[in-house]
Amino acid sequence: MRMLNGENAGSYDVVVVGSGAAALTAAATAARAGQSVIVLEKSGLLGGTSAVSGGMLWIVDNHHAREAGIDDSKAAGRKYVEAVARGRGRTELLDAALDHGDTMLRFAENELGVQFIFLDNFPDYRQDLPGAVTGGRTVEPELFNYRQALGDVAEHVRSDGRHPYTMQEYEDWGAFLRFPWDELNARRDAGFAAKGHALIGMLLAACLQNGVHLATGARVDRLLTHQGGVTGVVLEDGTEFRAASGVMLAAGGFEWDRKLADSMLATRLHTMCSPPSNTGDGLKMAQRIGAMTRGTREAWWAPMSLTGTLRDGEPIGSLLRFERQGPGSIMVNRHGQRFANEAQNYNDLARVLHSWDSANHQTLNTPAHVVFDETYLQRYGIMDHRSGQPTPAWLIEAPTLAALAERIKVPAAALEATVECFNTHAVAGEDPDFGRGTSEYDRYWGDSDNAWPNPSLGPLQSGPYYALEVVNGAFGTCGGVATNGRGQVLDVDGEPIAGLFAAGNTTESPYAAGYPGAGATLGPLMTMAYLAGRTLAGQPADYHATAGRRAETVNA
C-alpha cells in the first residue's frame, strides 16, 4: 500500500473502496461535511473506469437547461427512462436518480469546484421513445489542468492515453484526421486533461482540499463486521481500516473476472476497455456478508474492435463510434449483409450482436465487420491509421469487394449486392432498410460537410476496400449489489446492512438495462454516491447553496 498524502491513521469516519467518480464523489461529499475519509485504490493508479470514460453526465431537468430556456421536466425524463429500461428499473432508485440528479450537479459545482460544459444540442439516444429530447440533459467536464491542481498526486492518476479534447470538440471535428493536433499537443504538454480524466482530476482536487487521504496498491480483501453491521475493512496484507460512520463500496464492475462474467452476464463478453482491476471485489465482499444482488446479467454494451491497445498490460477493445457512424461505411454480418442501423447508439447496436441463431447454434450477426473504401479512408482515416500508411494487422484490405468477401469469409455475391443496394439509397440520403440518418442522434454523429444529402450516409465508391472486425464489448458491468435510495446496501431480505454503502458499477444501475443518453452511466452513479456521502455524514439529501459560495479550483 502506498499513501499518497498524509499518514495512515488506521481509523476514519468513512472508508471508501475504489477511486472512480462514484468513490471520489462520496468521499468528497462526506469530507465536505467534516468527516475524516480515506480512499483505498486496488491498482497503482487512481480514477478507475471513470478516468478512461467520456466523463459525461446525463441529468434530467438540470439547472443549465433551465437557465438556457430548454423545456424539460422530471416527468418527461421518467417517462423516457422507463421506456428505455423496458420497465425493469426499481422505482426507489429511479426516484433517487431523477429527483436528486440536479442537486448533485449543483453540489459538485458549488461545493466541490467541478466545472462542466453544457451540451444543449446532444440528443438522447432513443429519439423514437416518449420523453426523449434533442438536447439539454448532458454535461461534460471542462478542460482541467490536473498537474497544476494535484501536484505530486497527478502522476498517480489514470488516463486513457488520448490527447485532451472534449466530447463537444470531438463531435465538432468529426474524424481524427481533422483534429488540430498541434493545439492538442500543446494542451497535453501544459498539463491539461479532458473527458473522464478531467472529471477525476477535479474530484481528486476536491478530495485533497477537503482532507481526504488517498492510497494506491491497497486491495481490500474483506469487510469487518460486528453484530450484523460493517465496521471497517481488511486489506489482503492484513492491514485494517476502521470506519466509524461506514464503508463505501465503489470498486467497479466484475467484467475482468472472466469466469464470473461468463456465469452471470446474458451473453459472452469478448473485450472491455475498463481497467483490468475490475474483478468484482466489491460485489464479492458484499455477497459474503449476505448482500442482495440485482441486474447482474447486464453491462454497458458497446461494439468494439481489437487494435492492439493495452491497458495495464492487458489487451482492451477500442470503441467504434465515427468509424461506423460516418458516411461511407457500413456493417455486415457473417452473411455479408447489413443487419442494423450502424449509426444508432453503441449500447443498442451491441445488443444486436447478441442475437442467437438457434437453428444453427451460433451467433446470428457475428463475426461482424465495418466495411469501407479508399475514399472513406482518405477523407476520415480509421482509428489511428491513415491512407498511404502500411495497412495494420487489425485492418483487412482487398482490391475488390469480392476479394474482401473472401478474406472475411462472407459470400461475395451477398456483400456486393449489399453495397450496391446501400449505395443506391445513400446518394439520395435515405436508408429504407434500417432508417439510418433519420434521427437527430444519427445526424449528430455524422459529417455536416458530407457531399451527400444526409450527414450519416454516403456510398462506398472505389477500391481498395477495407474491413474492420467488430466484437461484443462493454465499458463495464452495470449490475451487482442492491441498494436503497440513499446508497445503503441491502441484505437478501431487503433490509439495509448497517454501515455499508455502495454506488457505481459495483451496484445495480438506477436505469436497469436502459442507456438513455450520453452520461447515463456517470450521472446516476454520481448522484447515488452523493446521496450515500450525505447519509454517511448525517446530512439531508437536499442541498441549498450558500449565496456566493463556490469551491475553488485550479484550472489555468
Side-chain angles (χ1 to χ4, degrees), residues 262-383:
D262 279 350
S263 70
M264 301 184 82
L265 293 177
T267 189
R268 173 64 58 85
L269 181 58
H270 289 273
T271 190
M272 299 77 68
C273 60
S274 58
S277 52
N278 289 355
T279 54
D281 294 359
L283 171 63
K284 296 169 189 174
M285 283 186 283
Q287 284 181 306
R288 290 188 191 108
I289 65 167
M292 179 190 298
T293 60
R294 294 179 63 95
T296 53
R297 288 172 57 82
E298 289 298 333
W300 303 116
W301 307 108
M304 295 183 179
S305 286
L306 297 170
T307 60
T309 304
L310 301 178
R311 177 154 291 140
D312 297 354
E314 295 290 337
I316 61 169
S318 296
L319 171 66
L320 298 178
R321 194 187 289 274
F322 191 84
E323 294 79 13
R324 59 180 172 81
Q325 294 173 309
S329 70
I330 61 172
M331 282 181 62
V332 299
N333 60 16
R334 63 168 65 242
H335 307 293
Q337 300 169 331
R338 293 179 66 220
F339 56 92
N341 170 7
E342 298 93 341
Q344 67 183 296
N345 73 82
Y346 40 79
N347 190 259
D348 285 330
L349 179 56
R351 290 178 184 277
V352 184
L353 298 176
H354 303 172
S355 300
W356 183 256
D357 182 355
S358 56
N360 296 301
H361 305 288
Q362 62 186 8
T363 53
L364 183 63
N365 293 315
T366 55
H369 291 85
V370 171
V371 174
F372 56 96
D373 69 351
E374 181 64 26
T375 303
Y376 181 99
L377 187 61
Q378 291 175 3
R379 188 165 61 239
Y380 303 122
I382 189 81
M383 300 295 195

Side-chain angles (χ1 to χ4, degrees), residues 97-141:
L98 293 178
D99 292 345
H100 299 288
D102 190 51
T103 304
M104 177 279 296
L105 188 62
R106 289 186 291 109
F107 183 89
E109 292 171 334
N110 295 331
E111 300 293 330
L112 305 183
V114 183
Q115 300 175 349
F116 293 102
I117 301 167
F118 175 55
L119 303 178
D120 61 352
N121 66 337
F122 204 122
D124 286 342
Y125 284 174
R126 292 293 303 274
Q127 291 291 302
D128 58 313
L129 296 178
V133 299
T134 57
R137 289 175 175 166
T138 296
V139 298
E140 69 165 317

Side-chain angles (χ1 to χ4, degrees), residues 15-17 22-23 26 90 93 223 246-252 282-283 286 291-292 480-490 497 499-510 524-533 535-536:
V15 174
V16 179
V17 183
R90 272 201 295 138
L93 296 188
L223 299 169
V247 170
M248 176 72 184
L249 297 177
L283 171 63
M292 179 190 298
V481 178
T483 70
N484 63 16
R486 297 301 297 269
Q488 295 172 294
V489 174
L490 304 177
I497 297 175
L500 188 60
F501 296 75
N505 288 353
T506 295
T507 70
E508 64 173 314
S509 168
L525 73 81
M526 284 181 62
T527 300
M528 296 305 298
Y530 158 80
L531 292 169
T535 304
L536 280 159

Side-chain angles (χ1 to χ4, degrees), residues 28-29 32 63-64 66-67 102-116 202-203 206 209-210 530 534 543-553:
T29 300
R32 189 73 171 170
H63 63 281
H64 292 290
R66 292 193 293 272
E67 292 165 4
D102 190 51
T103 304
M104 177 279 296
L105 188 62
R106 289 186 291 109
F107 183 89
E109 292 171 334
N110 295 331
E111 300 293 330
L112 305 183
V114 183
Q115 300 175 349
F116 293 102
M202 285 187 259
L203 289 172
Q209 290 163 6
N210 287 283
Y530 158 80
R534 296 284 281 183
Y543 155 73
H544 302 285
T546 304
R549 181 180 182 185
R550 187 176 181 89
E552 295 295 325
T553 60

Side-chain angles (χ1 to χ4, degrees), residues 183-235:
E183 177 185 343
L184 296 178
N185 284 332
R187 286 182 189 177
R188 182 178 60 185
D189 293 345
F192 280 93
K195 304 184 289 296
H197 189 195
L199 177 64
I200 289 298
M202 285 187 259
L203 289 172
L204 280 170
C207 285
L208 292 173
Q209 290 163 6
N210 287 283
V212 174
H213 286 198
L214 306 168
T216 58
R219 178 170 185 168
V220 178
D221 182 62
R222 60 187 175 89
L223 299 169
L224 288 171
T225 60
H226 180 68
Q227 296 182 348
V230 174
T231 58
V233 302
V234 182
L235 304 189

